[in-house]
């Protein structure tokens, strides 16, 4: 008796080729299709990429603060935290900007994965997608995925020069940056939400209730 | 009438008499439709994108064996494992085996229709494992011991009041003493309860919206973030997906993402779109599963390939056809008696589960064609439903009396002159009965109409009769 | 009995240029079984409109039904037999006009599908499809009728029947025609494009579901406060009027052709004749 895999593929080939094996040519045509970038229609825009990015981010219930230089990150964080009355205890991730930030002694900036009781998590996005106001994360050892999903307030630092027009640009950059495609790529657009109670949106379903973006012009 | 049909009619009657259901459905309906309309109006490339989406799916389906091989190879390279299941039973057995062998006690799940299709929860629970649905809607129906009634909004049939009661009953023993009734409180309580499950979970099981051959990634799209907490925190991740989910590359993914959320909820993109491509690298990562398994399920799909139903394999489970279906919106998902309800479900269910027990699904449809118009991958759903009807006729699964009267009607229609002579009398009789009041209150054999509606009285003579008498005057 | 052809319709006409260009154009009128059997006035209204637009119209005697009931209930071979008959009778006209989006859709979209593997008949089916029009779209898109000056001092609401809307994309045309009428106020109802629950045999096979759907349709129509509901498919209108009468509503229901031809003083669908 054939194992499941063999009999499943046999069934597929009966349906697709009348049971014939695929030729080497057919195989390489599909290999090529997989590894050749084919661009379909992409959404157009006349707006400045960063402006559009901010608008889209706000449209999905995010907030933005645009600052100049990494040395203003602490002040921007403080501004948000005091406005939200959150205190100064936070989990901090890693990245080109965040690694340079020096936290004054009154801050308790914990560089560790986030856990279920963490209120504020500050992390740095890998890129932004202007098309939809999306923040892109590629979790690594010092910026793990828990930091994206577990805090109640997620403050995200993003280098404004890393905002790309659309998803296809992101894929291109990831391919250039990574020899092996990363284990996880997380596209986050606004805070966590659910419509499961009366089809009406409530924020903070499982992930962050609020997402605050600190956009840094480096 | 067969048992299945009697059961279907019973479920419909219950649904129509269920005030809470009717209230919930009435409330949900407009939102989905209007949000979608708005999203599409703001995105001029939408229709171009749906054509591209259809073409990509068609191309993949024609080469599905090759794409699955490439995908599998990539997952193995990434350190994951791929399992193949021909049937629902095989699929749930594979998953159960993986869970049992790893000694799992608690399993968290992201929303997955294919896991419903293979009855996974039942299988795992029978083996003594605790299974927690983490999508809020799925969690609600799990508490209610029900099945989802909508493929993207599982608890769309539940009112806030019903959810409030369910939470009180199930959460009180966990220390939540107060009954919550506001939406915000309900969501907060679910968040609080489920957080502990996420961190205690041994295994996370999710479905996949897409599988990418290029990278070996499984893609999940959610708004709550539950799918990610399910994928990231446990030590083992299991992805269960239909074999038709594979797409070629990342660029193709972008095409689908642009049509999926707009069609489903009217969003430009869902809050979370995540690509997971394997287990954590040995030492470098502090998080991520140690094992990554993909279970690919056939369960009737390969027999749709190359058949007149192949286009159904394009379906991306956006739910738009449910949201726009007149019948779905009055009877709700449960009445269909299948985990896939609405137009897509009425096509899919007989293909997975056989025609015999599902004769009503294809017939309980007005064929108004809206589902075809709004489908983002252009599945000709009404044509496929009509194909089902043809299958039923061929296999004589429809009632004899219906077929008998039908044969007489066809005989007459094919002889128009004789048809006029035969029908002159009944038309004249109907006119005599109804002309005083303008309507006929009851017509024997047409109770289906006259029990709830009057029948407007016809003229005493057919158009053809009157026309033959007057055509000369008209043309003069 | 009313003699429809004696109703003189001075108030419908077309411009000189159009009249001249349509002089030798013959339209085959496909009555539809439901208009033939249940409401001949719709047929006469349509004929008047076509004639006023400048066309020569013929009504073949050898027609009964487009075969949609057979097609939709899965009796494909019967549908094919009926389709062959319709094609043979109508294929030589310059145009075929149908006072129903549903039946026009059958001829135009589904006949070719029925003959997908029969090349000779496929050609003939496609030929017929290419010249088949629903009445409203024909009057607007082909006849470009410009003078419809009857006075209809009524508030109306329009129900878009599904086949016309979803298969043929008919939405603007009936509205364009109706708004030419003097005094007519069009008040759109909520969910105007939503199915009314008729669905051919559906309404008798699943009366519970059908009734709930038509209830919703009728409530939406009544909420507009309109005096009259107008639509382009008699099947849907029978369903809607039947439900309105049963609930005792006085809202009138007319086929769009009747309204355009100025026949609104005749009894509406399901309304009793007033005897002088």
């Amino acid at each position: 008796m054939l194992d499941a895999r063999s009999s499943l593929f046999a069934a597929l080939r009966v349906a697709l080729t009348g049971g014939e094996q695929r030729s080497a040519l057919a195989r390489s045509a599909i290999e090529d299709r997989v590894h050749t970038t084919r661009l379909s229609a992409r959404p157009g825009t006349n707006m400045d990429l960063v402006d559009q990015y901010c608008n889209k981010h706000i449209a999905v219930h995010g907030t933005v603060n645009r600052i100049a230089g990494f040395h203003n990150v602490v002040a921007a964080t403080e501004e948000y935290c005091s406005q939200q009355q959150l205190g100064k205890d936070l989990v901090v991730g890693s990245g080109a900007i965040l690694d340079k930030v020096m936290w004054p002694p009154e801050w308790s900036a914990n560089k560790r994965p986030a856990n279920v009781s963490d209120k504020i998590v500050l992390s740095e996005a890998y890129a932004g997608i202007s098309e939809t106001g999306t923040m892109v994360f590629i979790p690594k050892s010092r910026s793990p995925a828990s930091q994206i999903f577990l805090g109640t307030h997620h403050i995200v630092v993003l280098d404004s020069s890393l905002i790309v027009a659309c998803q296809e640009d992101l894929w291109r950059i990831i391919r250039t940056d990574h020899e092996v495609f990363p284990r996880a790529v997380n596209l986050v657009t606004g805070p966590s939400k659910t419509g499961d109670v009366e089809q009406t949106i409530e924020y903070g379903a499982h992930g962050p209730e609020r997402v605050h973006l600190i956009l840094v012009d480096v | 009438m067969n048992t299945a049909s009697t059961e279907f009619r019973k479920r419909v009657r219950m649904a129509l008499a269920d005030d809470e259901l009717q209230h919930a459905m009435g409330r949900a309906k407009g939102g989905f439709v209007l949000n979608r309309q708005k999203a599409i109006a703001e995105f001029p490339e939408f229709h171009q994108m749906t054509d591209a989406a259809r073409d990509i799916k068609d191309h993949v389906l024609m080469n599905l064996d090759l794409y699955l091989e490439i995908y599998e190879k990539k997952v193995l390279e990434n350190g994951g494992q791929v399992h193949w299941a021909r049937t629902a039973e095989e699929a749930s057995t594979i998953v159960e085996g993986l869970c049992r062998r790893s000694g799992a006690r608690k399993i968290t799940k992201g929303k997955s229709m294919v896991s419903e299709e293979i009855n996974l929860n039942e299988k795992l629970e029978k083996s003594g494992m605790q299974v927690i649905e983490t999508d809020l809607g799925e969690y609600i129906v799990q508490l209610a011991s029900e099945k989802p009634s909508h493929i993207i909004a599982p608890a769309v049939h539940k009112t806030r009041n019903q959810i409030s009661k369910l939470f009180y009953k199930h959460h009180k023993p966990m220390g939540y003493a107060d009954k919550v009734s506001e939406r915000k409180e309900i969501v907060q309580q679910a968040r609080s309860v489920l957080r502990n499950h996420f961190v205690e979970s041994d295994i996370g099981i999710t479905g996949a919206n897409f599988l990418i051959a290029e990278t070996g990634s499984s893609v999940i799209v959610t708004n709550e973030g539950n799918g990610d907490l399910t994928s990231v925190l446990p030590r083992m991740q299991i992805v269960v997906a239909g074999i038709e989910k594979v797409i070629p590359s990342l660029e193709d993914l972008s095409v689908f993402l642009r049509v999926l959320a707009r069609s489903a909820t009217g969003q430009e993109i869902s809050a979370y779109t995540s690509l997971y491509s394997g287990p954590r690298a040995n030492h470098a990562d502090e998080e991520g599963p140690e094992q990554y398994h993909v279970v690919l399920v056939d369960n009737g799909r390969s027999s749709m390939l190359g058949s007149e139903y192949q286009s159904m394999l394009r379906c991306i489970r956006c739910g738009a056809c449910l949201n726009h279906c007149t019948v779905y919106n009055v009877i709700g998902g449960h009445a269909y008696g299948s985990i896939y309800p609405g137009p897509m479900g009425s096509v899919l269910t007989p293909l997975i589960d056989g025609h015999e027990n599902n004769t009503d699904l294809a017939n309980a449809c007005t064929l108004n064609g809206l589902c075809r118009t709004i489908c983002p991958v252009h599945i000709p759903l009404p044509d496929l439903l009509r194909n089902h009807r043809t299958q039923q006729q061929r296999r004589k699964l429809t009632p004899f009396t219906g077929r008998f009267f039908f044969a007489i009607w066809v005989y007459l229609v094919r002889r128009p002159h004789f048809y006029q002579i035969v029908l002159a009398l009944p038309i004249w009789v109907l006119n005599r009965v109804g002309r005083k009041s303008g309507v006929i209150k009851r017509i024997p054999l047409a109770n289906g109409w006259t029990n709830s509606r009057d029948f407007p009285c016809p003229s005493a003579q057919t158009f053809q009769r009157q026309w033959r008498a007057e055509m000369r005057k008209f043309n003069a | 009995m009313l003699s429809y052809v004696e109703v003189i319709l001075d108030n419908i006409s077309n411009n000189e240029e159009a009249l001249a260009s349509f002089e030798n154009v013959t339209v085959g009128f496909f009555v539809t079984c439901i208009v033939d059997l249940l409401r001949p006035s719709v047929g006469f209204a349509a004929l008047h409109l076509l004639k006023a637009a400048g066309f020569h119209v013929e009504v073949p005697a050898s027609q009964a039904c487009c075969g949609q009931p057979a097609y939709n209930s899965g009796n494909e071979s019967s549908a094919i037999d009926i389709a062959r008959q319709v094609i043979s009778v109508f294929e030589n006209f310059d145009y075929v006009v149908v006072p129903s989006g549903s039946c026009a859709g059958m001829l135009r979209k589904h006949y070719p599908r029925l003959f997908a593997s029969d090349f000779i008949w496929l050609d003939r089916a496609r030929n017929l499809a290419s010249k088949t029009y629903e009445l409203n779209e024909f009057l607007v898109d082909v006849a470009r009728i410009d003078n419809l000056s009857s006075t209809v001092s009524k508030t109306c609401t329009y129900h878009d029947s599904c086949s016309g809307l979803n298969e043929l994309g008919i939405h603007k045309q009936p509205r364009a025609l109706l708004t030419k009428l003097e005094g007519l106020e069009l008040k759109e109802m909520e969910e105007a494009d939503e199915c009314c629950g008729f669905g051919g045999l559906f309404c008798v096979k699943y009366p519970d579901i059908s009734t709930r759907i038509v209830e919703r349709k009728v409530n939406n129509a009544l909420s507009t406060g309109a005096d009259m509901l107008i639509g382009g498919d008699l099947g849907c209108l029978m369903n809607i009027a039947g439900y309105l009468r049963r609930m005792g509503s006085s809202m009138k229901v007319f086929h769009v052709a009747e309204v355009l031809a100025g026949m609104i003083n005749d009894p509406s669908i399901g309304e009793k004749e007033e005897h002088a």
Side-chain angles (χ1 to χ4, degrees):
Chain A
M1 208 181 85
L2 287 176
D3 64 293
R5 186 185 184 283
S6 311
S7 80
L8 203 155
F9 274 89
L12 293 177
R13 293 213 163 102
V14 166
L16 294 170
T17 66
E20 298 289 309
Q21 287 300 311
R22 293 285 192 171
S23 67
L25 198 67
R27 246 167 233 288
S28 70
I30 298 304
E31 285 280 356
D32 283 353
R33 170 71 177 79
V34 165
H35 297 290
T36 316
T37 306
R38 281 171 77 254
L39 295 179
S40 305
R42 296 192 276 175
T45 179
N46 309 319
M47 274 181 91
D48 172 74
L49 283 188
V50 177
D51 289 348
Q52 176 179 267
Y53 182 80
C54 293
N55 290 347
K56 295 279 184 186
H57 176 74
I58 291 164
V60 291
H61 217 70
T63 47
V64 189
N65 185 2
R66 191 167 178 177
I67 61 171
F70 71 91
H71 43 270
N72 286 319
V73 168
V74 175
T77 307
E78 174 150 27
E79 190 187 330
Y80 177 77
C81 291
S82 70
Q83 180 203 332
Q84 298 285 326
Q85 302 174 331
L86 294 175
K88 292 192 166 166
D89 187 352
L90 75 174
V91 171
V92 180
S94 155
I97 295 173
L98 282 183
D99 290 349
K100 284 189 259 181
V101 174
M102 299 299 291
W103 294 92
E106 69 267 28
W107 285 88
S108 155
N110 307 290
K111 301 200 170 183
R112 59 163 171 80
N115 63 51
V116 287
S117 49
D118 285 322
K119 262 215 148 132
I120 320 165
V121 177
L122 175 64
S123 64
E124 184 165 343
Y126 170 79
I129 308 172
S130 180
E131 174 187 357
T132 45
T134 298
M135 302 171 290
V136 183
F137 297 91
I138 298 184
K140 288 196 283 277
S141 57
R142 285 166 57 234
S143 49
S146 57
Q147 294 183 347
I148 313 171
F149 297 105
L150 282 176
T152 314
H153 292 256
H154 189 195
I155 307 174
V156 179
V157 168
L158 172 63
D159 175 346
S160 62
S161 69
L162 297 177
I163 293 174
V164 296
C166 60
Q167 283 181 31
E168 286 82 347
D169 297 328
L170 172 74
W171 308 136
R172 189 170 40 78
I173 292 171
I174 295 181
R175 286 191 192 106
T176 321
D177 273 8
H178 298 78
E179 211 163 299
V180 178
F181 192 74
R183 189 200 92 74
V185 176
N186 298 103
L187 275 53
V188 178
T189 313
S192 160
K193 58 188 173 182
T194 180
D196 278 335
V197 185
E198 296 185 314
Q199 277 36 69
T200 307
I201 297 298
E202 285 294 336
Y203 291 94
H206 295 296
E209 250 176 68
R210 295 187 62 115
V211 174
H212 180 67
L213 179 69
I214 299 177
L215 197 56
V216 186
D217 296 322
V218 177
Chain B
M1 205 173 288
N2 64 33
T3 346
S5 196
T6 314
E7 288 296 312
F8 175 80
R9 282 159 199 276
K10 203 163 108 190
R11 287 194 301 270
V12 165
R13 273 198 301 280
M14 275 168 55
L16 293 173
D18 182 340
D19 291 341
E20 297 239 44
L21 173 72
Q22 292 299 320
H23 175 76
M25 297 305 293
R27 209 189 140 89
K29 182 178 173 288
F32 281 125
V33 172
L34 291 177
N35 290 342
R36 175 186 169 277
Q37 264 170 16
K38 192 165 160 273
I40 290 171
E42 287 168 3
F43 184 55
E45 295 88 351
F46 183 79
H47 295 288
Q48 205 180 342
M49 216 53 89
T50 60
D51 289 351
R54 173 200 54 205
D55 295 345
I56 294 166
K57 279 281 179 185
D58 280 346
H59 164 76
V60 170
L61 291 172
M62 293 308 292
N63 299 284
L64 188 57
D65 52 339
L66 298 172
Y67 276 108
L68 286 169
E69 283 174 353
I70 296 172
Y71 168 76
E72 178 189 38
K73 195 166 147 232
K74 201 71 207 175
V75 175
L76 297 177
E77 267 177 42
N78 295 344
Q81 293 178 51
V82 180
H83 310 262
W84 302 87
R86 286 165 292 196
T87 61
E89 178 58 34
E90 269 185 15
S92 61
T93 304
I94 291 169
V95 178
E96 190 266 345
L98 287 170
C99 295
R100 186 164 33 80
R101 285 195 297 277
S102 82
R105 301 167 65 107
K106 183 180 276 195
I107 296 166
T108 42
K109 273 186 72 206
K111 207 183 83 57
S112 152
M113 289 312 296
V114 75
S115 79
E116 298 283 351
E117 180 185 325
I118 65 172
N119 264 317
L120 185 56
N121 290 11
E122 216 170 274
K123 183 91 173 183
L124 296 174
E125 281 162 1
K126 250 188 215 154
S127 299
M129 291 173 258
Q130 187 189 6
V131 184
I132 316 278
E133 292 288 351
T134 62
D135 171 84
L136 179 54
E138 285 280 351
Y139 179 68
I140 293 166
V141 296
Q142 189 184 30
L143 292 185
S145 305
E146 291 176 7
K147 294 277 184 191
S149 75
H150 188 296
I151 61 172
I152 67 155
V156 66
H157 61 288
K158 286 265 179 268
T159 60
R160 179 154 52 103
N161 186 33
Q162 289 173 318
I163 298 168
S164 167
K165 281 186 198 157
L166 268 176
F167 272 31
Y168 186 60
K169 180 176 153 199
H170 290 273
H171 294 164
K172 198 179 169 206
M174 302 164 74
Y176 295 87
D178 295 329
K179 187 170 176 181
V180 287
S181 57
E182 294 305 314
R183 263 196 309 275
K184 181 105 207 148
E185 298 169 334
I186 290 172
V187 173
Q188 285 297 327
Q189 191 170 86
R191 177 188 173 97
S192 160
V193 170
L194 285 163
R195 293 221 132 193
N196 295 322
H197 290 310
F198 281 126
V199 288
E200 289 164 6
S201 166
D202 300 306
I203 296 182
I205 301 177
T206 67
N209 292 89
F210 307 98
L211 304 170
I212 306 175
E214 177 194 353
T215 56
S217 312
S218 55
V219 182
I220 53 168
V221 172
T222 74
N223 275 315
E224 297 180 3
N226 64 307
D228 295 294
L229 289 168
T230 303
S231 301
V232 167
L233 299 181
R235 58 188 153 84
M236 185 194 283
Q237 180 179 2
I238 303 176
V239 177
V240 188
I243 51 171
E244 82 285 13
K245 292 286 179 193
V246 64
I247 57 173
S249 70
L250 293 164
E251 279 73 16
D252 299 300
L253 174 66
S254 297
V255 172
F256 287 103
L257 291 177
R258 290 189 185 113
V259 298
L260 175 60
R262 288 181 171 93
S263 298
T265 52
Q267 292 170 272
E268 290 189 341
I269 188 168
S270 301
Y272 300 103
T273 299
S274 302
L275 288 71
Y276 294 111
S277 313
R280 70 162 86 163
N282 290 340
H283 306 292
D285 284 346
E286 294 163 26
E287 286 177 355
E290 292 155 20
Q291 286 185 43
Y292 176 87
H293 296 269
V294 183
V295 180
L296 292 171
V297 184
D298 181 345
N299 202 30
R301 289 164 174 79
S302 62
S303 58
M304 289 157 67
L305 261 192
S307 82
E308 53 194 351
Y309 298 104
Q310 178 168 315
S311 57
M312 192 60 220
L313 293 171
R314 296 201 291 250
C315 178
I316 55 171
R317 308 289 193 264
C318 70
C321 62
L322 280 63
N323 299 338
H324 288 77
C325 176
T326 314
V327 173
Y328 176 87
N329 277 313
V330 301
I331 65 175
H334 288 154
Y336 290 82
S338 155
I339 54 119
Y340 295 115
M344 57 78 68
S346 299
V347 172
L348 208 49
T349 304
L351 298 174
I352 294 175
D353 187 42
H355 272 285
E356 283 71 11
N357 294 324
N358 300 291
T359 47
D360 285 282
L361 299 186
N363 289 297
C365 159
T366 66
L367 291 179
N368 65 44
L370 187 55
C371 51
R372 181 214 307 264
T373 313
I374 51 89
C375 175
V377 285
H378 302 289
I379 302 172
L381 291 157
D383 292 341
L384 299 183
L385 289 169
R386 206 181 283 108
N387 282 348
H388 277 341
R389 296 180 185 186
T390 307
Q391 291 296 329
Q392 292 177 13
Q393 288 291 342
R394 284 194 193 136
R395 293 162 61 180
K396 300 204 178 349
L397 294 171
T398 48
F400 171 76
T401 42
R403 278 181 282 135
F404 175 73
F405 281 111
F406 209 82
I408 296 176
W409 176 83
V410 171
Y411 180 88
L412 290 173
V413 166
R414 299 197 56 204
R415 291 157 187 82
H417 296 279
F418 186 45
Y419 169 95
Q420 286 291 332
I421 295 167
V422 172
L423 286 170
L425 180 67
I427 289 296
W428 182 83
V429 172
L430 284 176
N431 175 267
R432 288 287 126 173
V433 175
R435 65 181 189 167
K436 273 216 180 103
S437 61
V439 293
I440 301 142
K441 294 276 176 197
R442 206 177 83 79
I443 304 176
L445 298 175
N447 292 335
W449 184 290
T450 53
N451 280 348
S452 58
R453 287 160 282 214
D454 289 349
F455 191 81
C457 176
S459 282
Q461 286 189 342
T462 66
F463 173 84
Q464 288 283 7
R465 279 264 163 128
Q466 296 182 37
W467 170 247
R468 298 299 139 202
E470 307 205 22
M471 60 191 277
R472 216 164 282 147
K473 266 189 276 174
F474 179 85
N475 285 328
Chain C
M1 210 196 76
L2 274 173
S3 174
Y4 295 111
V5 302
E6 281 163 14
V7 181
I8 295 169
L9 297 156
D10 299 334
N11 44 16
I12 315 171
S13 65
N14 215 342
N15 61 52
E16 297 289 322
E17 195 190 335
L19 286 175
S21 66
F22 298 144
E23 200 175 15
N24 295 316
V25 179
T26 305
V27 169
F29 184 59
F30 187 85
V31 187
T32 78
C33 58
I34 181 164
V35 166
D36 179 44
L37 297 176
L38 302 175
R39 198 159 170 89
S41 55
V42 174
F44 284 103
L47 290 184
H48 278 297
L49 292 162
L50 293 169
K51 188 182 178 189
F55 294 91
H56 175 65
V57 192
E58 284 184 23
V59 187
S62 197
Q63 58 170 311
C65 171
C66 65
Q68 194 181 138
Y71 181 60
N72 280 352
S73 57
N75 290 279
E76 211 163 79
S77 62
S78 305
I80 287 175
D81 290 341
I82 297 169
R84 283 203 175 114
Q85 193 172 312
V86 173
I87 293 169
S88 307
V89 172
F90 282 90
E91 64 191 336
N92 292 321
F93 290 110
D94 298 314
Y95 291 105
V96 177
V97 175
V98 190
S100 153
S102 175
C103 310
M106 181 70 194
L107 270 60
R108 202 153 98 191
K109 298 284 172 175
H110 298 292
Y111 278 11
R113 195 170 175 258
L114 279 172
F115 297 108
S117 51
D118 179 341
F119 295 119
I120 295 171
W121 277 97
L122 180 60
D123 261 2
R124 294 175 71 177
R126 282 189 178 147
N127 169 45
L128 181 74
S130 70
K131 49 177 137 182
T132 299
Y133 289 83
E134 187 269 347
L135 179 67
N136 287 286
E137 68 175 344
F138 187 77
L139 291 175
V140 173
D141 302 343
V142 180
R144 298 185 302 277
I145 195 160
D146 68 348
N147 181 15
L148 285 164
S149 56
S150 25
T151 303
V152 178
S153 300
K154 298 274 185 206
T155 309
C156 304
T157 191
Y158 195 84
H159 166 61
D160 292 287
S161 285
C162 299
S163 303
L165 181 72
N166 295 321
E167 285 181 352
L168 308 176
I170 297 166
H171 179 78
K172 285 185 188 139
Q173 296 95 328
R175 290 172 174 78
L177 292 167
L178 287 168
T179 47
K180 283 179 198 275
L181 299 176
E182 210 163 300
L184 186 143
E185 188 196 345
L186 195 62
K187 267 194 170 172
E188 296 288 356
M189 65 177 123
E190 293 276 308
E191 305 172 343
D193 54 359
E194 184 90 12
C195 179
C196 72
F198 171 65
L201 291 172
F202 170 84
C203 69
V204 285
K205 278 190 188 165
Y206 299 94
D208 300 353
I209 306 176
S210 172
T211 303
R212 182 60 58 89
I213 298 172
V214 70
E215 177 189 340
R216 206 149 143 168
K217 170 60 60 183
V218 159
N219 287 336
N220 279 328
L222 290 172
S223 305
T224 61
D227 313 310
M228 191 186 282
L229 180 140
I230 304 172
D233 260 274
L234 188 55
C236 311
L237 298 176
M238 294 284 290
N239 181 39
I240 294 168
Y243 192 81
L244 278 165
R245 291 299 92 82
R246 179 62 57 95
M247 69 188 282
S249 162
S250 62
M251 178 178 259
K252 293 179 183 235
V253 178
F254 278 106
H255 190 280
V256 58
E258 298 172 299
V259 179
L260 295 175
M263 292 175 166
I264 60 157
N265 294 321
D266 297 340
S268 66
I269 299 170
E271 190 182 21
K272 65 179 168 196
E273 283 186 34
E274 291 191 26
H275 296 282

